[in-house]
Amino acid sequence: MFYSRSKIILSARLWFAAAFLFAYWFETGAFWFYVNRSESPYFVYAAVLSHTFAALSFFITRPKPRALPGIGYYYPRLAALFTFFMPGIGLLGISMTLFMSRVFMTSHGLAEEYKEKAFEGSGIDVDLPEDINVFLYEELDIHPIADILAGDDVGMKRGAVNLLRRIGSAEAVSLLRKSLSDENAEVRFYAHIALARLEEDYAQSLDKAEIRTKKYGSAQSYAELGSVYRKYAQSGLPEINIQEQSMKSSCDNWKIASEMVPENTDYLMRLAEIYIESQRFSEAVEIYKSTRSNPKLELESRLGMCRAYFEMGNFIALFHEVETMRAKPELESSDPFKKVVYDFWMNGESAYE
């Protein structure tokens, strides 16, 4: 489903190299036919035909005018023109030109500067910060990120965009999308590249997770693949239909993992959470009903049912569930967040109104 840009570039280079090999082979044949044209009058026609095939060799490359406008599209066509209209010297000249430019020429434009300064480091963290505002205030210490992006300091904006790219959460993506309409062209460029890099990072993470799943086929590999799909769906990058498909893939992989290791209740509880996030409330409730008899999972299961009933708008079922919780002995949990939520449902007078 996803293909990293590095694989596309490698494929384009291999096709381009193969085109050069065929071109040199045909051009050598054309030269041989022309030198020995005295042996047969048809050798001249063979030389012309072989020379034409040398130029046509570059059309075996796959045209990618959008993904790779250089090596994937324009360079092969330029090489074909030089080869056809300048027999012999054209092919040699374009080969030397591309080789020397690769060896001696380096880019010092805006894109290269951005690559070196704004994107130091690679990859994305699977565990992203929950609250972007807290993270940004800690990192920037003085100004909130929105004020920096609304200012005029391009250097600060570039740092802010780089920071947002490192965070990669849905809130960060939202701010990056707003920066696409910034009045400064450089900021628009930085934001566009940041979003593209985030998309590429997620694509690479999905590729690696899918490879591990196919290679090992373990419950852990399926759970990891489901986690990456979930992160991608919640990142704010995909369109709504891709987001829904990613959440469905996350559910499917977590379900496989939980079925492979039924005794691992963590997988089952994570699956229930993702069912709620995917608005598959009935399936989530069924899981929680099957696990609430487990003393270790009763608190989490009942909180999950309350969340499911609340988000689906079934306030009657929520009322009965809260009343059932109040009639039972107080449940304990080592997780302070779950304990706070439990106390809210137990002690909040208007929790279910």
Side-chain angles (χ1 to χ4, degrees):
M1 182 177 179
F2 295 95
Y3 298 92
S4 64
R5 182 172 176 81
S6 58
K7 293 181 180 179
I8 298 176
I9 294 175
L10 178 60
S11 176
R13 287 175 177 172
L14 291 175
W15 279 104
F16 199 27
F20 267 108
L21 290 177
F22 280 111
Y24 271 106
W25 185 69
F26 282 118
E27 196 73 357
T28 302
F31 179 75
W32 185 88
F33 282 122
Y34 184 77
V35 170
N36 297 277
R37 63 187 181 277
S38 59
E39 297 182 9
S40 172
Y42 295 103
F43 275 24
V44 175
Y45 301 111
V48 173
L49 184 61
S50 183
H51 172 69
T52 303
F53 277 125
L56 293 176
S57 297
F58 291 99
F59 287 89
I60 68 171
T61 58
R62 300 175 181 178
K64 298 179 182 297
R66 294 184 179 179
L68 295 172
I71 195 172
Y73 188 81
Y74 293 111
Y75 286 173
R77 275 113 189 103
L78 185 63
L81 290 175
F82 272 88
T83 301
F84 184 77
F85 289 104
M86 301 176 66
I89 193 173
L91 180 60
L92 181 61
I94 193 68
S95 303
M96 294 300 297
T97 299
L98 292 175
F99 176 75
M100 299 302 286
S101 65
R102 183 72 179 174
V103 173
F104 294 105
M105 293 178 63
T106 56
S107 173
H108 295 285
L110 184 61
E112 186 67 20
E113 178 186 356
Y114 181 67
K115 178 181 178 181
E116 293 175 356
K117 296 182 179 179
F119 279 132
E120 296 175 356
S122 59
I124 56 174
D125 295 328
V126 175
D127 295 322
L128 300 174
E130 295 293 335
D131 189 350
I132 183 175
N133 295 319
V134 174
F135 185 84
L136 289 172
Y137 272 100
E138 290 177 352
E139 292 293 327
L140 300 173
D141 202 28
I142 300 176
H143 302 289
I145 192 68
D147 289 344
I148 291 179
L149 293 176
D152 299 324
D153 192 325
V154 177
M156 288 288 290
K157 286 185 176 183
R158 179 171 55 188
V161 168
N162 182 34
L163 180 60
L164 290 174
R165 184 255 176 177
R166 290 177 180 273
I167 295 172
S169 64
E171 294 84 355
V173 170
S174 177
L175 288 175
L176 287 173
R177 292 192 186 280
K178 292 180 180 179
S179 299
L180 293 175
S181 58
D182 192 274
E183 60 182 10
N184 189 288
E186 290 189 48
V187 175
R188 295 197 300 270
F189 172 75
Y190 298 146
H192 175 77
I193 298 299
L195 289 169
R197 289 293 183 88
L198 273 173
E199 189 77 41
E200 181 180 336
D201 288 343
Y202 277 108
Q204 290 177 349
S205 298
L206 283 167
D207 283 342
K208 293 178 182 178
E210 288 177 346
I211 290 173
R212 286 195 296 268
T213 301
K214 292 179 181 178
K215 182 177 181 180
Y216 300 109
S218 62
Q220 182 179 355
S221 63
Y222 279 105
E224 291 176 356
L225 180 58
S227 296
V228 179
Y229 270 117
R230 181 187 186 187
K231 289 289 184 183
Y232 179 64
Q234 296 175 343
S235 67
L237 288 169
E239 300 294 336
I240 184 64
N241 57 334
I242 303 299
Q243 179 182 347
E244 293 174 354
Q245 181 61 37
S246 297
M247 286 301 295
K248 182 180 181 301
S249 298
S250 178
C251 292
D252 294 341
N253 284 282
W254 274 106
K255 185 176 181 181
I256 293 174
S258 63
E259 290 175 348
M260 292 180 67
V261 190
E263 65 275 10
N264 192 326
T265 55
D266 288 338
Y267 288 170
L268 194 61
M269 301 308 283
R270 298 296 80 74
L271 175 61
E273 288 181 8
I274 300 172
Y275 274 149
I276 293 178
E277 294 167 359
S278 303
Q279 297 185 351
R280 297 165 64 173
F281 301 113
S282 59
E283 294 170 272
V285 170
E286 287 299 319
I287 293 178
Y288 288 132
K289 285 182 178 180
S290 66
T291 56
R292 65 184 176 184
S293 58
N294 187 333
K296 295 181 179 180
L297 301 176
E298 184 178 3
L299 175 63
E300 184 176 356
S301 299
R302 293 193 177 278
L303 292 179
M305 292 178 65
C306 289
R307 178 187 175 188
Y309 289 142
F310 179 80
E311 293 196 14
M312 68 192 299
N314 190 346
F315 297 109
I316 296 177
L318 175 61
F319 172 82
H320 289 299
E321 183 61 30
V322 173
E323 289 299 310
T324 302
M325 291 169 60
R326 289 179 173 178
K328 287 180 169 291
E330 184 175 354
L331 300 175
E332 297 294 335
S333 174
S334 58
D335 189 333
F337 176 76
K338 294 177 182 177
K339 184 60 178 175
V340 169
V341 176
Y342 176 78
D343 291 339
F344 167 77
W345 289 119
M346 293 292 293
N347 303 320
E349 293 296 328
S350 59
Y352 50 87
E353 292 180 1

